[in-house]
Amino acid sequence: MSLTKCACIDTLYTELPWLERFQAAKDDGFGAVEFWDWRSRNLDVTRKAAEGAGIVISGFNGDADYSLIDPTHKQAYLDYLKKSVAAAKQVGARSVTIHSNALGDGGVVVNHYDDLSDTVKLCSMYDMLAECANLAEKEEINMNLEALNITTDHVGNFLKNTQMAAEICELIGSSRLKVLYDVYHMQLNEGSLCDTISKYYGQFGHIHVADAPGRHEPGTGEIQYKKVIRHLEECGYKGYVGYELFPLKDTKTAVKAIMENT
């Protein structure tokens, strides 16, 4: 079995104009693309570019200025998520990605919520995720909950380990709400990649790949990606593997490394 490779075209193919990135990714062997913020894109034109290239749009971020862990954000979070779901349907995307905290420019965590206890944060997140799952089922779209590293890129993020993400999704029990397992983030936070995959792969809806340290292409850091991808396949994971990474040199070199090392 060969897992479908998905290119994040907000980090790869940035040398090209937006609408040319879809065909370039298809030509390089990717079966899907993803990106970050739908608000900055012409969705109708974007959909036409993807369809013209014959490539799937797997998804984009579904939240922005609001946090799952802030109980005062509940209605605003859900209202914005509904707009993201509508945008996903407009562009033909299959999923949206959601996070515990609002993220600003460069992925900076907007509010660490030091004034809230972990109990309040966790209960708020569960309550709101249950509503997210209801929306996902009603609209027939997938939602993937992503834990982020707190050492380098997203200091102060509440959801930081696979166990919490997987267990809360399992408790809610919706086939439309799964975990986005980002190998780079979790290598920085917790390590034990293959053991973690073995334990929680059934809750995974999407995978992100970048090497660590550096967040560049496989082969530039310490992660044995051939082993990781093979283990995902052996466990039975069948979703997309998204390459959300920053080329060390350029996209051409990074794509070559992706194809050779995963």
Side-chain angles (χ1 to χ4, degrees):
M1 179 180 69
S2 180
L3 297 176
T4 301
K5 291 179 171 63
C6 175
C8 176
I9 54 173
D10 270 326
T11 61
L12 293 167
Y13 301 103
T14 58
E15 303 94 337
L16 298 175
W18 176 251
L19 297 179
E20 294 180 18
R21 299 179 193 181
F22 300 88
Q23 189 64 58
K26 179 68 173 182
D27 291 345
D28 280 340
F30 291 98
V33 297
E34 59 184 286
F35 53 94
W36 287 337
D37 192 344
W38 59 267
R39 297 173 298 181
S40 62
R41 306 300 180 187
N42 182 316
L43 299 181
D44 290 333
V45 173
T46 294
R47 179 170 187 154
K48 288 179 181 178
E51 289 176 345
I55 198 166
V56 172
I57 298 176
S58 69
F60 47 68
N61 289 339
D63 49 16
D65 301 325
Y66 307 104
S67 299
L68 288 169
I69 60 173
D70 184 344
T72 70
H73 280 194
K74 182 176 181 178
Q75 192 57 55
Y77 187 99
L78 293 172
D79 287 345
Y80 181 80
L81 185 60
K82 290 175 183 177
K83 294 178 181 178
S84 295
V85 168
K89 289 190 168 186
Q90 183 178 347
V91 82
R94 300 183 177 186
S95 69
V96 296
T97 302
I98 54 180
H99 307 87
S100 64
N101 294 60
L103 303 175
D105 293 340
V108 173
V109 175
V110 174
N111 190 334
H112 295 189
Y113 290 104
D114 294 331
D115 57 321
L116 297 181
S117 69
D118 285 354
T119 302
V120 169
K121 294 174 185 176
L122 185 58
C123 289
S124 175
M125 186 164 68
Y126 180 90
D127 176 53
M128 290 168 68
L129 284 173
E131 296 287 346
C132 292
N134 288 337
L135 176 63
E137 291 173 3
K138 177 182 177 182
E139 298 293 338
E140 297 183 335
I141 193 164
N142 298 324
M143 296 186 186
N144 296 311
L145 176 66
E146 183 177 24
L148 304 173
N149 83 74
I150 60 170
T151 65
T152 308
D153 303 292
H154 308 288
V155 175
N157 198 66
F158 178 65
L159 185 59
K160 60 187 178 183
N161 62 64
T162 309
Q163 180 180 3
M164 180 182 286
E167 288 181 349
I168 201 167
C169 288
E170 186 173 17
L171 283 170
I172 290 170
S174 170
S175 63
R176 291 287 185 180
L177 178 65
K178 295 293 183 180
V179 174
L180 194 166
Y181 181 69
D182 189 304
V183 183
Y184 162 76
H185 288 314
M186 294 303 98
Q187 171 69 0
L188 294 181
N189 278 0
E190 62 190 21
S192 300
L193 300 174
C194 288
D195 286 345
T196 301
I197 290 167
S198 294
K199 192 168 185 178
Y200 299 115
Y201 74 90
Q203 289 299 321
F204 293 173
H206 194 79
I207 303 294
H208 271 170
V209 161
D211 216 335
R215 208 172 185 178
H216 303 305
E217 58 267 28
T220 59
E222 64 192 9
I223 301 175
Q224 296 185 42
Y225 263 111
K226 285 188 177 180
K227 170 63 176 175
V228 172
I229 299 299
R230 185 167 66 249
H231 193 65
L232 281 164
E233 292 175 336
E234 290 171 349
C235 286
Y237 174 75
K238 294 181 174 63
Y240 292 119
V241 175
Y243 293 83
E244 186 193 48
L245 55 87
F246 297 92
L248 185 59
K249 181 181 178 183
D250 54 34
T251 297
K252 182 178 179 180
T253 306
V255 170
K256 182 181 179 188
I258 287 168
M259 299 305 173
E260 290 178 351
N261 294 305
T262 60

